[in-house]
Each structure stands twice: as structure tokens, then as C-alpha cells.
Amino acid sequence: MSPEEVKARGWKELDIILISGDAYVDHSSFGTAIIGRVLEDAGFRVGVIAQPRWDSPEDFKKLGKPRLFFSVSAGNTDSMVSNLTPGLKPREKDVYSPGGKAGLRPNRAVIIYSNRIKEAFPDVPIVLGGIEASLRRFAHYDYLSDKVRQSILADAPADLIVYGMGELQIVEIAKRLQAGEDIRNIRDIPGTVWKMEVKAWKELKERAEKPDNRPEKQERDKPEQREGKIAEDAAEFLKENIEIPSFSEVSQDKTAFAKAFRIYFAEQNPITGKGVIQPHPKTVIVQNRPMRLLTEAELDHVYELPFTGERHPSYTEPVPALEMVKFSLTTHRGCFGGCAFCAITEHQGRMIASRSIESVLREAKKLTEKPDFKGIINGVGGPSANMYGMECKTWEKKGACLDKSCLYPRTCPALDTSHKKLLELLRRLRDLPGVKKVFTGYGVRYDLALKDEEYLEELCAYHISGQLRIAPEHFSRQVTNAMCKPGREVYEKFAQKFTSLNRKCGKEQYIVNYLMSGHPGCTLEDMIEMGEYVRDHGGYTEQVQDFTPTPMTVSTCMYYTGLDPFTGKKIYVAKGKKEKAMQRALMHYRNPANYELVYEALEKAGRLDLVGNAHKCLIRRKGKW
């Protein structure tokens, strides 16, 4: 992090410098830490510049010129999400900054950081990574500007994007640059995106279309044969890559945007996926097919690298995001839940890659040796808590299915939903000396948990600290269908089972629901239905978020286009600030500050029967609370 630390290692220069919009925390929940440790493990000298000032290139010079390349990330979240609320107001806190201080990273951090690097070191390659670059790799709807923006690689002066989980890609890039290869020639690594000149793209298409009239017997050095081989190679390239509607098309035609989304969504499968090409006005974006998943042994190795688990010692204040995960354990990657509003499908993928039980136990043992460990492991899981060790018999040969979801509208019978391996892990964690409690208070996919009563019973008996946070998101069938989430009957079945199992084990524990307003497909009538459901069944909660369109999700595509990208059918979208505010207020109908908005929503929906003193009413008559 500093020239002094470089000297202390006995290094005269660095091979790679990582730029991050987050504070530097050496914990495996932070992408920069993982990439840095993986590169170090591969023999490279790595530096980190965290949250640099971006008003000049000076901060980007403090570790000198890297011998190989700069790697740039906005951090663990998209900078727009880090900086702005769903209402596009500046956030008061940033959990990835020391002391939770806001304003330490710019909006569009990846582009701005890349520009400052290019000013400081014009000839040094730049590789983009992290979720912001990964999910903005094609032309995308940008909520901040309310328009379609180009691929981030077309806007940033960078050479490559590493998309998805990037350990394998980043090491191969480093090794090939180390061997003297020009980064402009590194175009074949899965899980990367590169750019081609428009002129070269046009020539390639022309070559592929040119008929091959070569005589059968030709000598290799004849110009006709060489030209034929070029045409053959061009045709092969076009066969292995799919062209989607261009930036010019998708930025002007919402149907073309939905079509482009549908095509590249189907190619995010590391087994069957092809490359995807999207022409832009001044460049052509080429996404290579996805990188394979890490094997169990590789994943074990990554998570057992020598992370300190601490913030960098130069920080005098805690980093809130670390405090949340410091004593948690990552067991797996990927999620086959398929929620429409979630980008995990496009980043980590739908197939599960799990660590071994022994590896997780070794990490847990190291936690018990920390002086500030109080005996409580406060999280065990991945994007979900209870998909560890699960797999489908089709994944090895063809990857996750392209024509159906694993869990929606019902659980696929080909999916192994046994929690046996997870139960073994949890039991062995509980038995570790120094461990008092192992909690899983969030991230449980409840429709999956219903498939294994033994797991659910042990969850209630040992792994909840009074509250279990789950995410039904909504109780209107129309909205849960748009979200690709289970309907409320599944939620009700889980809630009943949860209550009975807690009664059986003598526990008084509660469900806390995470709910969402403003999702595509959600009308005022749907939000009123949800308010009535909460009124009748309890569960009034402050855990409500307004839908935020983030790049590369199905829901964001629906939000921008008003279309379901897979069926082409129109879908209702609440876009006006007033209606979005009314939808959210309906979930907090008890809050006096929301009275006017709730009343206006009920009046607009023709539901003034819900205003009054009767038990069924959401609010009392005006001015009488």
C-alpha cells in the first residue's frame, strides 16, 4: 500500500498494481484481497492503491510504474450502488470505507480511475475487473443517466475486462505478459472481454463471406491458399461467436435491447456458452465464452491463502463491511435461485462450486485463534446459505439448463436438494473447540429448506439467534412471477413449519421478511395487496427496499424496455418518482409520515374502503391516527 512497504519487502518495483474503490481489507470477502493474494501466490509482486483521489493522476503514481499492468475495480459493489440511494440521493455512509465515510469513490469509478492511470502511465496495460466492469461489459441501461450507455470497455481507456470470478483469468494474463506477449494479442482467454477495431471487424466479415475457390491441390505458400485459410479462420471465428444487436440499435430500439439481453443471457454457461460480439460506433466488443468454475481443490486453495482477515494497518477507523463478515465463512460460489433482480447469474453463475468440509474447518480453526474471536461464527454460506454441496446431474455435461430455472416455478426433480453435506459441515463446526455458536441468520433459500426437514430442524435448534431473515420479496402472485420467486403459499408453508419446529425445540424465534417495492410488474394494486397481507398475517417490517435497476439483470431489462425479454410480452413498470414513493409508503402504512402518500395511493387505486376505523383499514380517516 505504500513505497515503504515495497522497500520492506526488498522489491525495487511492482509487477501489478490493483486499484480499488474500496478500502483495502485483507479478507476473502473482498475481491481486491482475493485477486492480490492469488497473484502473489503465482509469484508476482503486487501493490494496492485503495480509494485514490481522482481529481489528478498523482495518487496513481505513488507506487511507481508497474512492470506488467494495472488492474482496476470499483470495489465489491457498483459505484452507483455504493454512492447513491434508489432515489439517486447521495448515501450518508459507505460501508466499504474507513469509518463508513461516504464520498471516497467517484461515480463510474472504473472509467475515472482508468483515465487517471492513462494520464500517469500512457503505455501501461489496464485490465478491468470486479462487479462494476463485469456487469457493464455490454451496452447497458444506466439508471443514473436514465439511458443506454456503451460497454464500459468502449468508454474506458482499458485493454481487457475480466468478467465473473477472475482468479484463473488474471493469473493467465499476468503470465502471458510476463512472457513478453503484447496485451493487444491476448484475445483467447475465457472469461475476458476485448475490443476489435471496426475496420478489422468489417474485413473479418467480408473474408468469412468470400467463397473459397481454391484448387484441391495447392502448395502451402501460394497466395490463393493463404487467402482461403484466412477466410476459413474468419468463418470459424464467426461460428464460435454470436453477434448481438449493436449499441446503435439497442440504444434506440427497446425491442433490440431485449433481444440482445436474451442472447447474451443464454451464453453465460461455461460448458455450452459461445462468445458474444456487440458492435459499437468506434469499437467492437467481444466477450469470450465464460471461464470454467474452480474445482474444489482450487477453491480450497484460494480461500486458504494467507489472508490476515484485517483492514490495512494504515486505517485508524474500522471498515463496517469487514465487521459484518469478519467471523463468517464462505463455503461456495454461485446460485441457482434465478431471481430476476439479481446479477449473480451473470457474475458467479448458476452452478455451485463448493469448498471441501476440511478446508472450511481449517479456516474456522484459524478464526478461533484470533484474539478478538468471542466464540461465535456469524455466517456460513455463499450467495445463499443453503446451496452448499448441491449439484444437478446435468451440470457436468451441459451446464445449467438454458430453457428452465432450477427452482421456479417449482423445484426441478433433476436437482439434488439434499442438505446432507451442509448438515455435516455445521455439526463439525459446532464441535470445534472454541466455537460456542454457529449462526445462519440470513441468506436461507426457504423453498429449498422445505425440501429437507432435518436441515430445517437443526437450523431452528442451533443456528438462529432469535431472528431468521428471509426474502419473500412480495406476496402478490403477479409480482413474484415477474421476480421468478416462489409464491406466498410456499412462504406460508415455510412459516408454519418454522413455527412448529421452534415450538418443538422450545425456542422463541421469529422471521424477519425482506420485501421489495417498485419491481417491474408491480402496480399500486399489488402493493395494496401486500399491505393487506401484512395486516392480516403480521410481519410488518422496516426491511423494505425500492427496486434499483442495476446492469445485466432480467429485472433491469424489464424496467428499461417494459418487456419480458424471454417472451416479448409487455410488463407494467412504475417509473415516476411519485408512484415509486407511493408503492414504498404502502409497505410502511403505519408510519404517520407516510399518511398523505398512502391516502393518495388508496384513492388512486379506488380503495378508500381501506381508510377508516374498521379493523381492515390500513389508515384512519384523514388527520385521525
Side-chain angles (χ1 to χ4, degrees):
M1 279 274 283
S2 68
E4 293 74 25
E5 287 177 317
V6 176
K7 289 179 184 177
R9 290 227 177 179
W11 298 343
K12 293 182 179 179
E13 65 176 349
L14 294 166
D15 297 319
I16 299 151
I17 296 177
L18 310 180
I19 309 292
S20 175
D22 291 342
Y24 180 47
V25 177
D26 191 26
H27 187 281
S28 58
S29 292
F30 292 72
T32 296
I34 287 184
I35 295 300
R37 287 294 183 187
V38 165
L39 286 168
E40 178 192 46
D41 184 61
F44 297 98
R45 297 165 295 184
V46 185
V48 176
I49 300 176
Q51 299 187 317
R53 289 181 58 89
W54 62 90
D55 53 356
S56 83
E58 293 310 306
D59 258 16
F60 297 83
K61 297 178 181 177
K62 69 180 184 181
L63 295 181
K65 179 180 178 179
R67 190 171 60 87
L68 298 178
F69 65 94
F70 279 98
S71 176
V72 178
S73 167
N76 268 18
T77 58
D78 189 285
S79 54
M80 184 197 79
V81 176
S82 295
N83 291 348
L84 304 169
T85 68
L88 298 180
K89 295 179 180 179
R91 291 192 187 273
E92 296 179 358
K93 293 182 179 179
D94 182 343
V95 297
Y96 290 99
S97 296
K101 186 177 179 181
L104 297 185
R105 84 184 81 217
N107 292 334
R108 314 199 195 291
V110 167
I111 296 172
I112 291 176
Y113 290 162
S114 299
N115 283 326
R116 295 293 88 80
I117 292 168
K118 191 57 69 174
E119 289 176 37
F121 303 104
D123 59 334
V124 177
I126 300 174
V127 178
L128 310 180
I131 202 159
E132 178 165 298
S134 181
L135 298 182
R136 294 177 183 263
R137 58 190 185 262
F138 294 115
H140 56 280
Y141 172 70
D142 179 72
Y143 184 50
L144 178 57
S145 61
D146 191 27
K147 67 179 185 180
V148 176
R149 286 184 64 99
Q150 297 189 116
S151 162
I152 202 167
L153 196 57
D155 281 340
D159 300 281
L160 290 172
I161 295 174
V162 168
Y163 74 89
M165 309 307 283
E167 294 94 344
L168 297 173
Q169 300 96 302
I170 203 73
V171 170
E172 185 168 350
I173 291 167
K175 287 180 175 179
R176 286 169 66 166
L177 290 174
Q178 174 99 301
E181 196 166 343
D182 190 317
I183 196 162
R184 291 169 295 186
N185 296 329
I186 299 178
R187 295 182 162 189
D188 60 341
I189 301 175
T192 62
V193 182
W194 50 280
K195 49 191 174 186
M196 181 191 301
E197 290 183 359
V198 173
K199 182 181 177 182
W201 170 240
K202 289 179 179 178
E203 289 176 353
L204 187 142
K205 292 184 80 172
E206 287 171 3
R207 287 172 182 168
E209 292 167 3
K210 187 173 181 180
D212 181 7
N213 295 319
R214 292 173 294 160
E216 287 187 14
K217 294 182 179 179
Q218 281 186 330
E219 296 178 16
R220 289 180 178 234
D221 59 349
K222 286 190 176 181
E224 297 90 352
Q225 188 176 28
R226 289 200 300 272
E227 189 174 314
K229 182 67 167 68
I230 290 171
E232 191 178 287
D233 290 345
E236 186 63 26
F237 178 81
L238 293 177
K239 187 189 296 184
E240 293 174 355
N241 295 273
I242 298 173
E243 182 179 359
I244 62 174
S246 68
F247 169 77
S248 300
E249 294 173 278
V250 302
S251 60
Q252 296 171 25
D253 182 346
K254 291 183 178 181
T255 303
F257 186 100
K259 178 182 178 182
F261 179 90
R262 182 174 67 252
I263 295 171
Y264 68 64
F265 185 91
E267 300 305 327
Q268 307 311 311
N269 182 327
I271 310 297
T272 64
K274 292 185 176 183
V276 180
I277 300 167
Q278 186 175 52
H280 282 56
K282 295 182 180 180
T283 191
V284 176
I285 300 300
V286 184
Q287 174 195 275
N288 291 339
R289 62 183 177 83
M291 178 55 83
R292 66 171 176 83
L293 302 185
L294 294 182
T295 65
E296 180 182 86
E298 289 170 333
L299 205 56
D300 287 352
H301 183 71
V302 167
Y303 281 92
E304 292 189 73
L305 290 171
F307 299 98
T308 64
E310 305 290 340
R311 67 182 187 269
H312 190 268
S314 63
Y315 300 131
T316 58
E317 295 179 283
V319 178
L322 173 62
E323 304 310 306
M324 292 185 251
V325 299
K326 189 173 183 179
F327 298 114
S328 66
L329 298 166
T330 298
T331 58
H332 65 280
R333 289 178 176 176
C335 179
F336 50 76
C339 301
F341 51 80
C342 182
I344 288 171
T345 297
E346 303 299 289
H347 190 66
Q348 291 194 22
R350 284 171 55 197
M351 296 188 291
I352 304 299
S354 297
R355 296 170 63 185
S356 69
I357 289 176
E358 297 303 327
S359 173
V360 179
L361 290 172
R362 285 192 293 269
E363 185 180 352
K365 188 174 184 302
K366 288 182 180 179
L367 290 183
T368 67
E369 295 166 0
K370 287 184 170 291
D372 53 344
F373 181 69
K374 306 298 183 185
I376 297 173
I377 295 173
N378 61 9
V380 179
S384 61
N386 57 322
M387 291 184 186
Y388 174 67
M390 292 186 182
E391 58 187 13
C392 173
K393 56 189 177 185
T394 69
W395 285 353
E396 187 175 349
K397 291 184 178 179
K398 66 174 188 177
C401 297
L402 301 178
D403 58 344
K404 59 183 177 181
S405 170
C406 298
L407 295 180
Y408 175 84
R410 61 192 62 84
T411 304
C412 177
L415 183 70
D416 177 9
T417 58
S418 169
H419 290 65
K420 184 177 179 181
K421 187 173 181 180
L422 176 56
L423 281 169
E424 181 185 349
L425 172 62
L426 291 172
R427 290 163 183 163
R428 293 181 67 181
L429 285 170
R430 296 200 304 262
D431 290 341
L432 274 181
V435 173
K436 299 175 184 176
K437 297 285 184 181
V438 180
F439 289 135
T440 307
Y442 57 90
V444 172
R445 183 78 190 210
Y446 59 88
D447 50 345
L448 201 57
L450 277 171
K451 302 290 181 182
D452 195 323
E453 186 164 329
E454 186 181 13
Y455 164 73
L456 194 48
E457 186 166 356
E458 289 205 16
L459 182 72
C460 294
Y462 300 109
H463 301 294
I464 301 172
S465 178
Q467 295 181 340
L468 177 66
R469 293 172 174 82
I470 60 172
E473 306 295 357
H474 216 284
F475 297 119
S476 163
R477 167 67 71 181
Q478 179 170 288
V479 183
T480 54
N481 281 347
M483 293 175 167
C484 297
K485 293 281 289 187
R488 68 188 186 196
E489 68 281 356
V490 180
Y491 167 80
E492 288 171 351
K493 185 177 179 182
F494 176 83
Q496 290 167 3
K497 180 66 69 173
F498 181 82
T499 300
S500 65
L501 288 174
N502 275 295
R503 191 179 297 119
K504 179 180 177 181
C505 60
K507 299 265 187 172
E508 188 174 341
Q509 300 185 127
Y510 303 93
I511 289 174
V512 175
N513 296 317
Y514 284 96
L515 303 172
M516 187 183 293
S517 63
H519 188 275
C522 184
T523 64
L524 282 178
E525 289 77 10
D526 292 316
M527 290 306 298
I528 292 169
E529 181 184 344
M530 184 147 82
E532 291 185 285
Y533 184 86
V534 169
R535 175 202 65 198
D536 296 340
H537 295 83
Y540 184 89
T541 178
E542 294 299 315
Q543 306 298 327
V544 178
Q545 62 174 331
D546 192 20
F547 169 69
T548 304
T550 53
M552 229 170 175
T553 69
V554 177
S555 299
T556 298
C557 181
M558 292 192 290
Y559 178 87
Y560 171 64
T561 64
L563 301 169
D564 181 321
F566 305 112
T567 66
K569 292 181 180 179
K570 290 185 178 181
I571 188 164
Y572 178 81
V573 177
K575 283 194 172 181
K577 287 186 178 181
K578 186 63 174 287
E579 184 176 351
K580 287 169 74 70
M582 287 193 290
Q583 286 206 18
R584 178 160 185 148
L586 281 163
M587 276 311 305
H588 291 157
Y589 60 86
R590 293 182 188 173
N591 185 343
N594 289 334
Y595 184 89
E596 296 298 334
L597 280 171
V598 174
Y599 186 92
E600 187 175 350
L602 295 174
E603 184 177 44
K604 186 175 180 179
R607 294 300 309 275
L608 289 179
D609 59 299
L610 295 175
V611 180
N613 299 319
H615 174 71
K616 70 170 187 174
C617 294
L618 297 182
I619 57 175
R620 297 189 180 187
R621 296 194 183 280
K622 227 169 192 179
K624 297 180 180 179
W625 280 84

